[in-house]
Amino acid sequence: MKKYILLSSILGGCLLNAQIIMGGANVTSPYTQLELQNTTGQKVLIQPAANNSTTLPKYNAAQPDSYDDDPTMEAMLMYDKNTSVSKVYDGSTWKQAFIPQGKATTWTRARIEPSSVACLSFLCTSGNLPLSIPNNSNQFSDYLSVFRPADTFRIRQKGLYRINFNVLFNGANIGFAGVKVNIAIAVNGEQKAYMSANAAFISSNSFSASADTVLFLDVNNDVNFRVNINTPGLSIAAFTFGGTPDSSISLERIL
């Protein structure tokens, strides 16, 4: 008991002033506060546990992805007892760690969830398509660790990315002019590519939009898929997007 108290006192005093390393000579990260190594300088893992996602560090229900951003904690490991998996903090949220080998690690694919846009005369709504990655799905996964709910991919590695986009949507237009439905790929709010479909001045149809393009993306670029409607005249129009198995978006790092 005396040894434990002494060690706690030493660590407590040192953590206020410097990084701590036990068993080695140099820490491997400037953000490391406490690192355990064996006698040959190799890191040793002692992993704490959390009862569920709400007790993980940086949990904040007020945030869109439920966690505060803190790059100084990046690579922190925690065992989530509720889901029975180890999780790693990527600087913004907690992801599953130790993904089994043999699976692709260069792509992320998300499902497009249902959403709507509408026009009343020249007043038209717009917005980013909502996305999700269902659990335990072979079709949808976040191997690049770039998905930030509910409508954004935040790039973690600089490179060339192939972006594949497919969405089914339906709707109607009644008016004196047709409408054009545009879906843009936006990087940090700037349009990089877009798809469009035209609806006649009186119409009720189903449509599909698809794109397969390559973009150079940098670290911390935010990628969104934004929908808007344009009409040159008086129209009443409404369209519903996504919510089908064929409505998906994928990012693949190719270089």
Side-chain angles (χ1 to χ4, degrees), residues 149-166:
D151 59 13
T152 301
F153 296 107
R154 175 163 291 177
I155 303 304
R156 294 178 55 77
Q157 291 182 298
K158 179 189 298 185
L160 286 177
Y161 287 79
R162 178 186 179 186
I163 301 177
N164 183 269
F165 175 95
N166 296 279

PDB file of all heavy atoms in Angstrom, residues 149-166:
ATOM      1  N   PRO A 149     -21.123  11.965 -38.791  1.00  0.00           N
ATOM      2  CA  PRO A 149     -22.575  12.123 -38.909  1.00  0.00           C
ATOM      3  C   PRO A 149     -22.971  13.578 -38.820  1.00  0.00           C
ATOM      4  O   PRO A 149     -22.340  14.353 -38.091  1.00  0.00           O
ATOM      5  CB  PRO A 149     -23.091  11.325 -37.699  1.00  0.00           C
ATOM      6  CG  PRO A 149     -21.979  10.353 -37.383  1.00  0.00           C
ATOM      7  CD  PRO A 149     -20.715  11.075 -37.706  1.00  0.00           C
ATOM      8  N   ALA A 150     -23.992  14.027 -39.579  1.00  0.00           N
ATOM      9  CA  ALA A 150     -24.832  13.126 -40.341  1.00  0.00           C
ATOM     10  C   ALA A 150     -24.737  13.368 -41.832  1.00  0.00           C
ATOM     11  O   ALA A 150     -25.454  12.740 -42.587  1.00  0.00           O
ATOM     12  CB  ALA A 150     -26.286  13.313 -39.891  1.00  0.00           C
ATOM     13  N   ASP A 151     -23.821  14.231 -42.304  1.00  0.00           N
ATOM     14  CA  ASP A 151     -23.814  14.518 -43.743  1.00  0.00           C
ATOM     15  C   ASP A 151     -22.433  14.846 -44.292  1.00  0.00           C
ATOM     16  O   ASP A 151     -22.319  15.363 -45.399  1.00  0.00           O
ATOM     17  CB  ASP A 151     -24.754  15.694 -44.046  1.00  0.00           C
ATOM     18  CG  ASP A 151     -24.372  16.982 -43.314  1.00  0.00           C
ATOM     19  OD1 ASP A 151     -23.262  17.038 -42.767  1.00  0.00           O
ATOM     20  OD2 ASP A 151     -25.177  17.922 -43.306  1.00  0.00           O
ATOM     21  N   THR A 152     -21.368  14.529 -43.561  1.00  0.00           N
ATOM     22  CA  THR A 152     -20.042  15.004 -43.934  1.00  0.00           C
ATOM     23  C   THR A 152     -19.009  13.878 -43.906  1.00  0.00           C
ATOM     24  O   THR A 152     -19.033  13.022 -43.032  1.00  0.00           O
ATOM     25  CB  THR A 152     -19.577  16.120 -42.977  1.00  0.00           C
ATOM     26  OG1 THR A 152     -20.514  17.194 -43.027  1.00  0.00           O
ATOM     27  CG2 THR A 152     -18.199  16.637 -43.341  1.00  0.00           C
ATOM     28  N   PHE A 153     -18.091  13.908 -44.889  1.00  0.00           N
ATOM     29  CA  PHE A 153     -16.874  13.110 -44.847  1.00  0.00           C
ATOM     30  C   PHE A 153     -15.713  14.072 -44.592  1.00  0.00           C
ATOM     31  O   PHE A 153     -15.499  15.001 -45.371  1.00  0.00           O
ATOM     32  CB  PHE A 153     -16.630  12.378 -46.173  1.00  0.00           C
ATOM     33  CG  PHE A 153     -17.683  11.367 -46.529  1.00  0.00           C
ATOM     34  CD1 PHE A 153     -18.587  11.612 -47.545  1.00  0.00           C
ATOM     35  CD2 PHE A 153     -17.766  10.170 -45.851  1.00  0.00           C
ATOM     36  CE1 PHE A 153     -19.547  10.686 -47.884  1.00  0.00           C
ATOM     37  CE2 PHE A 153     -18.730   9.222 -46.178  1.00  0.00           C
ATOM     38  CZ  PHE A 153     -19.618   9.483 -47.192  1.00  0.00           C
ATOM     39  N   ARG A 154     -14.949  13.876 -43.526  1.00  0.00           N
ATOM     40  CA  ARG A 154     -13.778  14.697 -43.248  1.00  0.00           C
ATOM     41  C   ARG A 154     -12.526  13.878 -43.562  1.00  0.00           C
ATOM     42  O   ARG A 154     -12.249  12.866 -42.925  1.00  0.00           O
ATOM     43  CB  ARG A 154     -13.747  15.180 -41.805  1.00  0.00           C
ATOM     44  CG  ARG A 154     -12.464  15.950 -41.464  1.00  0.00           C
ATOM     45  CD  ARG A 154     -12.608  16.767 -40.208  1.00  0.00           C
ATOM     46  NE  ARG A 154     -13.535  17.891 -40.408  1.00  0.00           N
ATOM     47  CZ  ARG A 154     -13.879  18.743 -39.442  1.00  0.00           C
ATOM     48  NH1 ARG A 154     -13.381  18.595 -38.223  1.00  0.00           N
ATOM     49  NH2 ARG A 154     -14.718  19.729 -39.693  1.00  0.00           N
ATOM     50  N   ILE A 155     -11.756  14.358 -44.534  1.00  0.00           N
ATOM     51  CA  ILE A 155     -10.627  13.612 -45.050  1.00  0.00           C
ATOM     52  C   ILE A 155      -9.485  13.596 -44.034  1.00  0.00           C
ATOM     53  O   ILE A 155      -9.154  14.615 -43.431  1.00  0.00           O
ATOM     54  CB  ILE A 155     -10.150  14.225 -46.388  1.00  0.00           C
ATOM     55  CG1 ILE A 155     -11.313  14.240 -47.385  1.00  0.00           C
ATOM     56  CG2 ILE A 155      -8.971  13.454 -46.942  1.00  0.00           C
ATOM     57  CD1 ILE A 155     -11.949  12.888 -47.638  1.00  0.00           C
ATOM     58  N   ARG A 156      -8.859  12.432 -43.863  1.00  0.00           N
ATOM     59  CA  ARG A 156      -7.780  12.272 -42.895  1.00  0.00           C
ATOM     60  C   ARG A 156      -6.421  12.084 -43.564  1.00  0.00           C
ATOM     61  O   ARG A 156      -5.389  12.282 -42.925  1.00  0.00           O
ATOM     62  CB  ARG A 156      -8.074  11.073 -41.988  1.00  0.00           C
ATOM     63  CG  ARG A 156      -9.285  11.285 -41.098  1.00  0.00           C
ATOM     64  CD  ARG A 156      -9.588  10.068 -40.253  1.00  0.00           C
ATOM     65  NE  ARG A 156      -8.462   9.625 -39.467  1.00  0.00           N
ATOM     66  CZ  ARG A 156      -8.045  10.208 -38.354  1.00  0.00           C
ATOM     67  NH1 ARG A 156      -8.671  11.280 -37.904  1.00  0.00           N
ATOM     68  NH2 ARG A 156      -7.011   9.738 -37.689  1.00  0.00           N
ATOM     69  N   GLN A 157      -6.412  11.685 -44.857  1.00  0.00           N
ATOM     70  CA  GLN A 157      -5.161  11.494 -45.577  1.00  0.00           C
ATOM     71  C   GLN A 157      -5.225  12.211 -46.922  1.00  0.00           C
ATOM     72  O   GLN A 157      -6.197  12.067 -47.668  1.00  0.00           O
ATOM     73  CB  GLN A 157      -4.883  10.010 -45.815  1.00  0.00           C
ATOM     74  CG  GLN A 157      -4.551   9.229 -44.542  1.00  0.00           C
ATOM     75  CD  GLN A 157      -4.244   7.775 -44.861  1.00  0.00           C
ATOM     76  OE1 GLN A 157      -5.083   7.042 -45.369  1.00  0.00           O
ATOM     77  NE2 GLN A 157      -3.032   7.353 -44.570  1.00  0.00           N
ATOM     78  N   LYS A 158      -4.179  12.972 -47.223  1.00  0.00           N
ATOM     79  CA  LYS A 158      -4.109  13.661 -48.511  1.00  0.00           C
ATOM     80  C   LYS A 158      -3.953  12.652 -49.639  1.00  0.00           C
ATOM     81  O   LYS A 158      -3.233  11.659 -49.515  1.00  0.00           O
ATOM     82  CB  LYS A 158      -2.916  14.622 -48.508  1.00  0.00           C
ATOM     83  CG  LYS A 158      -2.712  15.400 -49.793  1.00  0.00           C
ATOM     84  CD  LYS A 158      -1.394  16.151 -49.793  1.00  0.00           C
ATOM     85  CE  LYS A 158      -1.342  17.174 -48.669  1.00  0.00           C
ATOM     86  NZ  LYS A 158      -0.102  18.000 -48.749  1.00  0.00           N
ATOM     87  N   GLY A 159      -4.650  12.896 -50.770  1.00  0.00           N
ATOM     88  CA  GLY A 159      -4.496  12.002 -51.901  1.00  0.00           C
ATOM     89  C   GLY A 159      -5.594  12.157 -52.929  1.00  0.00           C
ATOM     90  O   GLY A 159      -6.442  13.052 -52.849  1.00  0.00           O
ATOM     91  N   LEU A 160      -5.560  11.279 -53.935  1.00  0.00           N
ATOM     92  CA  LEU A 160      -6.596  11.222 -54.955  1.00  0.00           C
ATOM     93  C   LEU A 160      -7.693  10.265 -54.496  1.00  0.00           C
ATOM     94  O   LEU A 160      -7.409   9.134 -54.072  1.00  0.00           O
ATOM     95  CB  LEU A 160      -6.019  10.743 -56.290  1.00  0.00           C
ATOM     96  CG  LEU A 160      -5.165  11.739 -57.075  1.00  0.00           C
ATOM     97  CD1 LEU A 160      -4.627  11.075 -58.339  1.00  0.00           C
ATOM     98  CD2 LEU A 160      -5.970  12.987 -57.439  1.00  0.00           C
ATOM     99  N   TYR A 161      -8.936  10.724 -54.598  1.00  0.00           N
ATOM    100  CA  TYR A 161     -10.077   9.931 -54.161  1.00  0.00           C
ATOM    101  C   TYR A 161     -11.067   9.754 -55.313  1.00  0.00           C
ATOM    102  O   TYR A 161     -11.415  10.721 -55.996  1.00  0.00           O
ATOM    103  CB  TYR A 161     -10.785  10.608 -52.981  1.00  0.00           C
ATOM    104  CG  TYR A 161     -10.026  10.517 -51.687  1.00  0.00           C
ATOM    105  CD1 TYR A 161      -8.960  11.376 -51.429  1.00  0.00           C
ATOM    106  CD2 TYR A 161     -10.361   9.574 -50.717  1.00  0.00           C
ATOM    107  CE1 TYR A 161      -8.260  11.307 -50.245  1.00  0.00           C
ATOM    108  CE2 TYR A 161      -9.658   9.501 -49.523  1.00  0.00           C
ATOM    109  CZ  TYR A 161      -8.611  10.364 -49.295  1.00  0.00           C
ATOM    110  OH  TYR A 161      -7.915  10.284 -48.118  1.00  0.00           O
ATOM    111  N   ARG A 162     -11.481   8.529 -55.491  1.00  0.00           N
ATOM    112  CA  ARG A 162     -12.573   8.248 -56.419  1.00  0.00           C
ATOM    113  C   ARG A 162     -13.880   8.360 -55.638  1.00  0.00           C
ATOM    114  O   ARG A 162     -14.056   7.727 -54.601  1.00  0.00           O
ATOM    115  CB  ARG A 162     -12.435   6.850 -57.007  1.00  0.00           C
ATOM    116  CG  ARG A 162     -13.571   6.454 -57.942  1.00  0.00           C
ATOM    117  CD  ARG A 162     -13.446   5.014 -58.383  1.00  0.00           C
ATOM    118  NE  ARG A 162     -14.548   4.631 -59.254  1.00  0.00           N
ATOM    119  CZ  ARG A 162     -14.749   3.390 -59.684  1.00  0.00           C
ATOM    120  NH1 ARG A 162     -13.920   2.414 -59.305  1.00  0.00           N
ATOM    121  NH2 ARG A 162     -15.769   3.123 -60.473  1.00  0.00           N
ATOM    122  N   ILE A 163     -14.786   9.187 -56.159  1.00  0.00           N
ATOM    123  CA  ILE A 163     -16.074   9.403 -55.504  1.00  0.00           C
ATOM    124  C   ILE A 163     -17.171   8.849 -56.396  1.00  0.00           C
ATOM    125  O   ILE A 163     -17.340   9.284 -57.545  1.00  0.00           O
ATOM    126  CB  ILE A 163     -16.310  10.899 -55.225  1.00  0.00           C
ATOM    127  CG1 ILE A 163     -15.193  11.445 -54.335  1.00  0.00           C
ATOM    128  CG2 ILE A 163     -17.668  11.113 -54.567  1.00  0.00           C
ATOM    129  CD1 ILE A 163     -15.298  12.923 -54.053  1.00  0.00           C
ATOM    130  N   ASN A 164     -17.889   7.884 -55.885  1.00  0.00           N
ATOM    131  CA  ASN A 164     -18.997   7.268 -56.622  1.00  0.00           C
ATOM    132  C   ASN A 164     -20.302   7.619 -55.926  1.00  0.00           C
ATOM    133  O   ASN A 164     -20.428   7.468 -54.710  1.00  0.00           O
ATOM    134  CB  ASN A 164     -18.808   5.758 -56.691  1.00  0.00           C
ATOM    135  CG  ASN A 164     -19.893   5.084 -57.505  1.00  0.00           C
ATOM    136  OD1 ASN A 164     -20.913   4.668 -56.967  1.00  0.00           O
ATOM    137  ND2 ASN A 164     -19.683   4.976 -58.804  1.00  0.00           N
ATOM    138  N   PHE A 165     -21.263   8.084 -56.709  1.00  0.00           N
ATOM    139  CA  PHE A 165     -22.517   8.616 -56.164  1.00  0.00           C
ATOM    140  C   PHE A 165     -23.686   8.026 -56.939  1.00  0.00           C
ATOM    141  O   PHE A 165     -23.694   8.033 -58.170  1.00  0.00           O
ATOM    142  CB  PHE A 165     -22.499  10.141 -56.311  1.00  0.00           C
ATOM    143  CG  PHE A 165     -23.775  10.815 -55.889  1.00  0.00           C
ATOM    144  CD1 PHE A 165     -23.905  11.331 -54.613  1.00  0.00           C
ATOM    145  CD2 PHE A 165     -24.832  10.951 -56.762  1.00  0.00           C
ATOM    146  CE1 PHE A 165     -25.073  11.955 -54.221  1.00  0.00           C
ATOM    147  CE2 PHE A 165     -26.000  11.568 -56.386  1.00  0.00           C
ATOM    148  CZ  PHE A 165     -26.128  12.072 -55.108  1.00  0.00           C
ATOM    149  N   ASN A 166     -24.660   7.494 -56.221  1.00  0.00           N
ATOM    150  CA  ASN A 166     -25.884   6.978 -56.846  1.00  0.00           C
ATOM    151  C   ASN A 166     -27.063   7.294 -55.943  1.00  0.00           C
ATOM    152  O   ASN A 166     -27.023   6.994 -54.746  1.00  0.00           O
ATOM    153  CB  ASN A 166     -25.805   5.464 -57.051  1.00  0.00           C
ATOM    154  CG  ASN A 166     -24.720   5.058 -58.025  1.00  0.00           C
ATOM    155  OD1 ASN A 166     -24.897   5.121 -59.229  1.00  0.00           O
ATOM    156  ND2 ASN A 166     -23.574   4.635 -57.488  1.00  0.00           N
TER     157      ASN A 166
END
